[in-house]
Amino acid sequence: MSAPPVFDAGFAQQFAALLAWRRDVRRFRRDPLPEGLVDRLLAQAELSPSVGHSQPWRWVRVRDEAQRQTARNSFQRCNADALGAYEGERARLYASLKLEGMREAPEQIAVFCDHSTQQGHGLGRRTMPEMLDYSVVAAITQFWLAARVAGVGVGWVSILEPEAVREALSAPPEWKLIAWLCIGWPEEESDVPELVRAGWESGRQA
Amino acid sequence: MSAPPVFDAGFAQQFAALLAWRRDVRRFRRDPLPEGLVDRLLAQAELSPSVGHSQPWRWVRVRDEAQRQTARNSFQRCNADALGAYEGERARLYASLKLEGMREAPEQIAVFCDHSTQQGHGLGRRTMPEMLDYSVVAAITQFWLAARVAGVGVGWVSILEPEAVREALSAPPEWKLIAWLCIGWPEEESDVPELVRAGWESGRQA
């Protein structure tokens, strides 16, 4: 154990820029990431807090084209349903949004929470069992920040049928899908969320 | 909008140290934090990703001693129940753990997810409604890291009855308790989780 680090004003300023420019990315270049980079980012993600030190995150790197296609099909079904629930101008705006980069992103990871893990001996999740899922979300958040430090973009796709995705990947029934992550070099960068730029909040098309 | 930041190797190395030394803190000094610091940390937390840009986080800074006492009472009930579920050596080890700093921490925040928010118009959470809660967890994770940049420790208490805490704070029924955060200067620092140091995983007392 070395001495605890002290972060100076210069680091704090750059860290603030990291948070501002982290962003959800849906427009990726197709060129691959350097060998080993995703593994290094996952190692940083796994320094994340977890309830009772349970570390329930399970990362499935999806490289098989048929499995990716199954997930894209699920997105398309869910997105069509979602579109059908909006009306008028908001439906037109929704239809114009690009909500995922599942065709372009060179790296894609399905992230699960292992509800069967014994690690941690149940500590801290007796009255709030959802803490196990939250631990995985914290790790994803750290992955996202670590990726942006390396200039890599991440997009979290949630417009999916979790069970259909789990089955397509032959993941155990005790694993709950938390996220589908698209990962790659971003085509563009901004410190303003894409949904804000698109006018989703206000209803106006920006 | 300024130019996108590029993070050099020096920043990446310090960022790695930040993740390693973030840690869950349960041993706090009692002296107050500088005026305005928590507000600045919350502003950084709110740069976090949220589903559909819904920003459903609601931060309740708990200063009232009676409210803090109600939360401590809830912890004590839940912790006694948890202890009763372990046996033998593991029960003795559990009883020896310090699992919260609710008496000492100068700042305490109850963090809720507002399930009634219309912001984001439901985007991205039709098939995975839990995304709203996850958005709050991401913001807490960023708060935690931002705090450690400033040298401030954070501990997440989950051994609580969420509804009892919500009622004690008179929060609306649509707000779901996600976390109780204890915040202050840490008494000690380590890059090894306290549960690991205590031998909780292995069952041996370190």
Side-chain angles (χ1 to χ4, degrees), chain A residues 108-142:
Chain A
Q108 301 189 35
I109 302 180
V111 191
F112 293 89
C113 179
D114 182 359
H115 283 198
S116 70
T117 187
Q118 297 301 308
Q119 190 176 331
H121 304 284
L123 188 147
R125 53 189 169 100
R126 204 178 148 80
T127 55
M128 296 180 68
E130 60 271 32
M131 286 298 295
L132 210 60
D133 298 335
Y134 296 174
S135 302
V136 179
V137 175
I140 293 168
T141 308
Q142 292 205 175

Side-chain angles (χ1 to χ4, degrees), chain B residues 13-177:
Chain B
Q13 195 169 11
Q14 284 191 288
F15 179 74
L18 170 62
L19 297 181
W21 287 84
R22 185 260 330 137
R23 307 273 68 98
D24 189 287
V25 171
R26 302 103 188 260
R27 299 169 198 275
F28 296 94
R29 288 162 34 196
R30 289 178 185 257
D31 44 318
L33 296 178
E35 184 73 24
L37 177 55
V38 169
D39 289 330
R40 290 196 297 277
L41 299 177
L42 289 175
Q44 293 205 310
E46 294 192 347
L47 294 172
S48 179
S50 64
V51 64
H53 200 54
S54 54
Q55 304 187 305
W57 38 74
R58 305 291 180 263
W59 318 92
V60 177
R61 289 174 72 172
V62 185
R63 298 186 175 96
D64 181 76
E65 180 50 32
Q67 290 179 327
R68 288 189 177 193
Q69 183 65 51
T70 302
R72 283 199 301 269
N73 291 346
S74 178
F75 170 82
Q76 280 161 9
R77 279 192 300 274
C78 297
N79 202 43
D81 284 352
L83 175 60
Y86 294 113
E87 291 184 350
E89 176 59 27
R90 184 150 298 278
R92 280 190 292 280
L93 183 51
Y94 187 88
S96 76
L97 298 172
K98 179 165 173 56
L99 294 173
E100 46 73 43
M102 299 171 81
R103 193 166 290 280
E104 306 88 354
E107 295 277 350
Q108 300 188 37
I109 302 180
V111 191
F112 293 90
C113 179
D114 181 357
H115 283 198
S116 70
T117 187
Q118 298 301 308
Q119 190 177 332
H121 303 284
L123 186 146
R125 53 188 169 99
R126 204 176 147 83
T127 56
M128 296 181 68
E130 61 270 33
M131 286 298 295
L132 209 61
D133 297 335
Y134 295 173
S135 302
V136 178
V137 174
I140 293 168
T141 307
Q142 293 205 174
F143 179 86
W144 211 330
L145 292 170
R148 182 57 189 83
V149 170
V152 172
V154 174
W156 179 327
V157 183
S158 62
I159 304 173
L160 290 170
E161 300 141 317
E163 274 297 287
V165 172
R166 186 191 62 71
E167 285 178 17
L169 301 180
S170 304
E174 298 78 19
W175 288 19
K176 178 179 173 186
L177 184 75

Side-chain angles (χ1 to χ4, degrees), chain A residues 46-59:
Chain A
E46 293 191 348
L47 293 172
S48 178
S50 64
V51 64
H53 199 55
S54 55
Q55 304 186 306
W57 38 74
R58 304 292 181 261
W59 318 92

Side-chain angles (χ1 to χ4, degrees), chain A:
Chain A
M1 188 174 99
S2 49
V6 175
F7 300 103
D8 65 13
F11 179 84
Q13 196 170 9
Q14 285 190 287
F15 180 74
L18 170 62
L19 298 180
W21 287 84
R22 186 258 331 136
R23 305 274 68 96
D24 190 287
V25 172
R26 301 105 188 257
R27 298 170 200 272
F28 296 95
R29 287 162 35 195
R30 289 177 186 256
D31 44 317
L33 296 179
E35 184 72 24
L37 177 55
V38 169
D39 288 331
R40 290 197 296 280
L41 299 177
L42 289 174
Q44 292 205 312
E46 293 191 348
L47 293 172
S48 178
S50 64
V51 64
H53 199 55
S54 55
Q55 304 186 306
W57 38 74
R58 304 292 181 261
W59 318 92
V60 178
R61 288 172 74 172
V62 185
R63 298 185 176 97
D64 181 76
E65 180 50 33
Q67 290 179 330
R68 288 189 178 193
Q69 183 64 51
T70 302
R72 284 199 300 268
N73 291 345
S74 178
F75 170 82
Q76 280 160 9
R77 280 193 299 275
C78 296
N79 202 44
D81 284 353
L83 175 59
Y86 295 113
E87 291 183 351
E89 176 59 24
R90 185 151 296 279
R92 279 190 292 277
L93 182 52
Y94 187 87
S96 75
L97 298 173
K98 178 165 173 56
L99 294 172
E100 46 72 42
M102 298 171 83
R103 194 167 289 280
E104 306 88 353
E107 295 277 351
Q108 301 189 35
I109 302 180
V111 191
F112 293 89
C113 179
D114 182 359
H115 283 198
S116 70
T117 187
Q118 297 301 308
Q119 190 176 331
H121 304 284
L123 188 147
R125 53 189 169 100
R126 204 178 148 80
T127 55
M128 296 180 68
E130 60 271 32
M131 286 298 295
L132 210 60
D133 298 335
Y134 296 174
S135 302
V136 179
V137 175
I140 293 168
T141 308
Q142 292 205 175
F143 179 87
W144 210 330
L145 292 170
R148 182 58 189 83
V149 170
V152 172
V154 175
W156 179 327
V157 183
S158 62
I159 303 174
L160 290 170
E161 299 140 318
E163 275 298 286
V165 171
R166 186 191 63 69
E167 285 179 16
L169 300 180
S170 304
E174 299 79 17
W175 289 18
K176 178 180 174 185
L177 184 76
I178 305 294
W180 182 282
L181 302 181
C182 294
I183 303 155
W185 303 117
E187 274 199 349
E188 55 175 15
E189 294 219 73
S190 178
D191 58 353
V192 180
E194 185 162 336
L195 286 178
V196 173
R197 284 181 281 150
W200 177 252
E201 198 44 54
S202 60
R204 288 175 294 102
Q205 180 89 39

Side-chain angles (χ1 to χ4, degrees), chain B residues 168-188:
Chain B
L169 301 180
S170 304
E174 298 78 19
W175 288 19
K176 178 179 173 186
L177 184 75
I178 305 292
W180 183 282
L181 301 180
C182 294
I183 302 154
W185 302 116
E187 274 198 348
E188 55 176 15

